[in-house]
Amino acid sequence: MTARTEDQPRTNAAPVIEIRDLHKSYGSLEVLKGVDLVAPRGHVVSLIGSSGSGKSTLLRCCNLLEDSQQGEILFEGEAVRWKGEGMARHPADRAQVIRIRTNLSMVFQQFNLWSHLTILQNVMEAPVTVLGRPRAEVEAAARRYLDKVGIGDKCDAYPAQLSGGQQQRAAIARALCMEPRALLFDEPTSALDPELEQEVVRVIKALAEEGRTMLLVTHDMRMAADLSDHVVFLHQGRIEEQGPPDRLFGAPQTDRLRQFLSVTA
Ligand SMILES: Nc1ncnc2c1ncn2[C@@H]1O[C@H](COP(=O)(O)OP(=O)(O)OP(=O)(O)O)[C@@H](O)[C@H]1O
Ligand SMILES: [Mg+2]
C-alpha cells in the first residue's frame, strides 16, 4: 500500500462533503435541527429556502467557520474530530480544520476583497501566505484564473475601480486559486444589478460544466434549476424537500415548497 500524503484525496468515491444529522444553535435559538447533506465529487448542490431558514449557517458549518453541537461533518470521507460536547463542542485538530477550510473555498455575497490590495494581489494572497506556495507559480495561476473569469486586464486595478460583477469574478478567481476540492457560494449574485448578475452566472455555469464540486446558496431559482444536480429546500432548519431540479421545481411535493416557489418565481 502506498502512503497517502495530506493533499491526496482519501478516496475518489467519497463525497467531497457529507453532513449527517447536524444540529447548530446560536444560544437558545436552534438554527439547524438535524440536517443531512451530500455533495458528491463533480456535483452542484443548491440550497434554497426563505430568509432565516439556515442556508448560510449550513454552508459555514461545512467549512468549519461555525461550530455545531451535534452530528458529523465528513470531508472526502474523513470525519471532523471533535472535543467537548454540545455548546462546548469544537474541532479538536487545528491542522485538520485548516486543511478542510482551505479545500472548501468560499465566495460571499459581498465579495470581501482586500481594498488595499490590487486584484492580482488579492488572488495571490491566500495561496502564498496560507498554503506557502511559491510566489511565481501562484502569480502564473492567478493570472490564468483572472483570464478565465474574463478580467485578465484588471490585475493591477484596486477593487474600488471595478464594477460589482467584476469584483465578484475576482472573488471567484481568488477562490479558484486555492485549487480547492469544492467551491461554496453564498448568494454570489444577490448584491448585483441584473446585467452584472448575468456575467457572474455565466462564470459559475462554466465552472459547473467543468465538473467542479459546488455548494450553491441562492435566491436565483433559474440559476439553481439550470446548474444543479441536486436541490435542497431548507425550511426552519430542516430539509423539507430535496431532489433533482426538474422534480423540485417542476413537481414540488410539499405545500411549503409550493408556497416558497410561488412567491420567489
Ligand atoms: N451569528 C449569529 N448569531 C445569532 N443568530 C444568528 C447568527 N447568524 C445567523 N443567526 C440566525 O440564524 C438563523 C439562520 O440564519 P442564516 O443566516 O443561516 O439564514 P439564511 O437562510 O442564510 O437567510 P438569508 O436568506 O436571509 O441569507 C436566523 O434566524 C438568524 O437570525
Ligand atoms: Mg444567508
Side-chain angles (χ1 to χ4, degrees), residues 48-238:
I48 61 170
S50 34
S51 182
S53 56
K55 305 179 300 294
S56 295
T57 303
L58 178 56
L59 209 63
R60 292 165 60 82
C61 284
C62 285
N63 72 349
L64 307 172
L65 281 171
E66 294 283 356
D67 278 337
S68 49
Q69 286 78 47
Q70 194 187 315
E72 293 308 322
I73 300 172
L74 293 92
F75 169 69
E76 295 187 328
E78 171 192 346
V80 171
R81 289 184 286 283
W82 306 102
K83 60 179 179 208
E85 285 190 8
M87 294 308 267
R89 182 172 97 154
H90 306 291
D93 180 347
R94 183 79 199 141
Q96 183 186 43
V97 171
I98 291 169
R99 183 153 38 85
I100 292 175
R101 197 172 290 159
T102 53
N103 271 297
L104 302 175
S105 275
M106 191 119 167
V107 176
F108 301 92
Q109 181 176 347
Q110 293 298 344
F111 329 137
N112 296 5
L113 297 168
W114 297 108
S115 59
H116 64 291
L117 298 181
T118 66
I119 294 303
L120 181 66
Q121 288 166 342
N122 262 283
V123 175
M124 290 176 61
E125 167 75 12
V128 170
T129 60
V130 179
L131 302 181
R133 280 167 44 199
R135 181 165 282 277
E137 178 191 298
V138 172
E139 180 172 342
R143 289 184 185 279
R144 208 168 54 242
Y145 287 123
L146 284 164
D147 272 343
K148 185 184 178 90
V149 300
I151 51 169
D153 57 334
K154 300 291 182 192
C155 286
D156 299 323
Y158 286 87
Q161 298 169 318
L162 266 57
S163 73
Q166 290 168 336
Q167 288 187 57
Q168 188 58 301
R169 285 184 283 150
I172 293 171
R174 178 181 56 180
L176 290 169
C177 206
M178 291 295 279
E179 313 284 358
R181 299 275 199 255
L183 293 163
L184 311 186
F185 290 94
D186 194 354
E187 310 256 13
T189 59
S190 31
L192 303 172
D193 294 338
E195 73 273 23
L196 300 182
E197 189 178 332
Q198 283 318 303
E199 58 188 39
V200 173
V201 170
R202 273 197 295 277
V203 167
I204 296 174
K205 187 168 183 179
L207 295 172
E209 284 165 359
E210 269 179 15
R212 288 188 182 263
T213 311
M214 304 202 251
L215 262 184
L216 174 64
V217 171
T218 184
H219 279 134
D220 181 342
M221 295 304 128
R222 195 178 326 152
M223 176 162 67
D226 208 20
L227 302 190
S228 311
D229 297 288
H230 191 78
V231 181
V232 172
F233 171 56
L234 266 181
H235 179 76
Q236 295 181 354
R238 288 197 174 85

Side-chain angles (χ1 to χ4, degrees), residues 28-41:
S28 59
L29 178 69
E30 195 178 16
V31 175
L32 299 177
K33 301 171 183 165
V35 171
D36 298 281
L37 184 82
V38 179
R41 183 174 306 281

